[in-house]
Amino acid sequence: MLKLLLCCALFAGGYAFNHGQAQLDFEAYMRDFHKEYANSAEQNNAQYYYNYHKNLITQHEALANRNASSYHVKLNQFSDIRLKTFAARLPQSVYPSNSFHTMMPVPPMDQAPPQFDMLANTMTLTAQDQGTVCSSSWAYSLAKSVQIMNALQTSNMKPLNISAQSLIDCAGMGTGCTTQVPQIGFDYLTQNPGTSLVTETEYPPNNSINHEGMCLPTMTASNIVVESYGIIADSNDNLLMRYVASGFPVIVEYNPATFGFMHYSSGVYVPPVHAQASSSQFLVILGYGHDTQSNLNYWRAVNSFGSTWGEDGFIKIVRSPTQPIAKRAIFPNTLI
Ligand SMILES: *[C@@H]1O[C@H](CO)[C@@H](O)[C@H](O)[C@H]1NC(C)=O
Ligand SMILES: *[C@@H]1O[C@H](CO)[C@@H](O)[C@H](O)[C@H]1NC(C)=O
Ligand SMILES: *[C@@H]1O[C@H](CO)[C@@H](O)[C@H](O)[C@H]1NC(C)=O
């Protein structure tokens, strides 16, 4: 009887200790990710999903640490919402029925090398942060692809960030934070001749609002004008590879609605065969190669979830003929 009491007293003590520690961990998470909740019900809900994801992350890491998964996961700015909410905040994109890319794309090299990295020449490139309330990767990916292409063409290894916010506000057409696509941004830039992109310094981001703002007039511009854009047919990964190796940062649509993508931290991400939901996130493909640790071929891309997500904001995704990545692939073709 005494033994039984002792055991339970210890158990209760352990529970209180762990409970206290869990509370401290969540408070640290709130500080690290600048979280503020409107009321205690919202905070309890956030803490519930934080704990839930923390457990899943521990389980996944046990697999990854014995090479039974090719990628790692970690807590990030999305860990306090459920997967369904994450998916709903990045709704499936809606495409316009026509396109204006009148010019034939510049032909790429005939044969792509076995590996390629657009940043190999030590370009300093940072992943931007679209925040957690506006689905604006269509604008962030466009801005990033033009920034990279211009940097390569002018050998500027410290390129200025191009403003995605100006595209959201001026080309978003009412769906800039929901279902918009990069093509609309390219059409806006190419159909208004002389419209040059502006830098973030001139048109700063505001990623805490869940709707587009008023299109503000700008004074000076970056002097980067997109003259035309190119499109690659769905699933044509071979052509995608040739364009990427020719120095074109190509944007692709990707389904981010999985636990693994949501919390990705490093390694080669392999999507599950059946995703739980269908959402849209646009990524810029920067290169490809082979990972010896996992023995997998990969694509390397930059996302717009900031540097707290992934490998400083970048991701390696499995490159395989059975899981083509070329989906709605689009790229800046000629810049002037
Ligand atoms: C571009 O934006 C990133 C992220 O906000 C920032 O860290 C970086 O300093 C910016 N780069 C330049 C050249 O201003
Ligand atoms: C972002 O937008 C909100 C709502 O319009 C505004 O209150 C806030 O001051 C803005 N923040 C910045 C940095 O412009
Ligand atoms: C990890 O697993 C992959 C595939 O299962 C295998 O090809 C690779 O050699 C393993 N790597 C190590 C370091 O054990």
Side-chain angles (χ1 to χ4, degrees):
M1 185 61 188
L2 189 64
K3 259 189 193 157
L4 189 68
L5 278 176
L6 193 63
C7 108
C8 300
L10 277 174
F11 178 76
Y15 175 76
F17 171 75
N18 285 331
H19 193 69
Q21 189 58 46
Q23 186 63 36
L24 289 176
D25 287 350
F26 182 64
E27 282 164 14
Y29 171 81
M30 282 180 64
R31 278 194 303 277
D32 288 351
F33 291 95
H34 314 290
K35 296 285 183 182
E36 277 169 25
Y37 303 105
N39 50 51
S40 62
E42 210 178 272
Q43 178 161 335
N44 286 343
N45 190 263
Q47 189 163 4
Y48 174 84
Y49 284 105
Y50 163 86
N51 286 327
Y52 175 76
H53 285 133
K54 205 173 158 199
N55 281 331
L56 287 184
I57 287 167
T58 306
Q59 287 168 29
H60 182 100
E61 285 305 278
L63 290 178
N65 289 334
R66 46 169 216 271
N67 194 30
S69 168
S70 57
Y71 66 96
H72 292 272
V73 287
K74 64 181 175 192
L75 289 167
N76 63 29
Q77 63 268 38
F78 303 114
S79 302
D80 63 344
I81 54 172
R82 66 193 292 204
L83 178 57
K84 234 175 151 172
T85 308
F86 175 75
R89 287 188 193 173
L90 304 171
Q92 185 92 63
S93 288
V94 176
Y95 285 82
S97 51
N98 55 353
S99 72
F100 299 100
H101 66 294
T102 45
M103 272 184 177
M104 282 300 286
V106 175
M109 58 171 62
D110 290 339
Q111 186 82 47
Q115 59 189 48
F116 182 78
D117 178 5
M118 227 170 262
L119 307 185
N121 54 10
T122 69
M123 187 196 302
T124 311
L125 192 75
T126 30
Q128 305 306 115
D129 188 358
Q130 70 183 60
T132 58
V133 294
C134 175
S135 188
S136 53
S137 62
W138 66 275
Y140 277 93
S141 59
L142 195 173
K144 196 51 79 181
S145 68
V146 172
Q147 179 189 4
I148 298 165
M149 191 161 156
N150 178 255
L152 292 173
Q153 290 181 351
T154 60
S155 300
N156 177 1
M157 294 304 123
K158 285 196 172 168
L160 289 175
N161 295 316
I162 287 175
S163 173
Q165 192 68 48
S166 72
L167 293 168
I168 298 169
D169 296 349
C170 304
M173 305 210 304
T175 53
C177 278
T178 53
T179 58
Q180 200 46 280
V181 298
Q183 190 200 311
I184 285 295
F186 279 119
D187 285 338
Y188 167 79
L189 294 169
T190 54
Q191 291 304 295
N192 300 293
T195 306
S196 83
L197 287 142
V198 293
T199 62
E200 272 197 348
T201 320
E202 190 181 6
Y203 205 119
N206 188 347
N207 66 14
S208 61
I209 43 174
N210 66 358
H211 56 85
E212 58 204 65
M214 217 169 48
C215 176
L216 304 171
T218 50
M219 300 301 289
T220 57
S222 66
N223 294 323
I224 306 172
V225 173
V226 180
E227 199 180 38
S228 66
Y229 61 93
I231 283 176
I232 296 169
D234 280 3
S235 304
N236 197 341
D237 279 20
N238 182 280
L239 189 57
L240 171 64
M241 193 183 268
R242 286 163 53 206
Y243 269 110
V244 169
S246 306
F248 292 93
V250 180
I251 301 164
V252 295
E253 185 188 335
Y254 201 72
N255 182 9
T258 65
F259 162 76
F261 190 93
M262 191 175 168
H263 292 94
Y264 170 81
S265 82
S266 66
V268 180
Y269 172 67
V270 179
V273 181
H274 300 291
Q276 289 187 30
S278 213
S279 290
S280 296
Q281 180 71 8
F282 293 95
L283 310 172
V284 184
I285 307 282
L286 304 170
Y288 53 84
H290 178 79
D291 176 60
T292 48
Q293 166 84 28
S294 60
N295 199 25
L296 292 172
N297 288 331
Y298 65 81
W299 294 103
R300 188 154 183 270
V302 60
N303 194 2
S304 46
F305 286 167
S307 56
T308 53
W309 178 91
E311 299 177 324
D312 270 331
F314 295 71
I315 183 170
K316 292 199 279 290
I317 298 177
V318 71
R319 179 165 55 92
S320 143
T322 59
Q323 288 163 302
I325 203 164
K327 185 182 175 199
R328 297 288 188 169
I330 188 166
F331 58 92
N333 182 39
T334 45
L335 302 182
I336 48 174

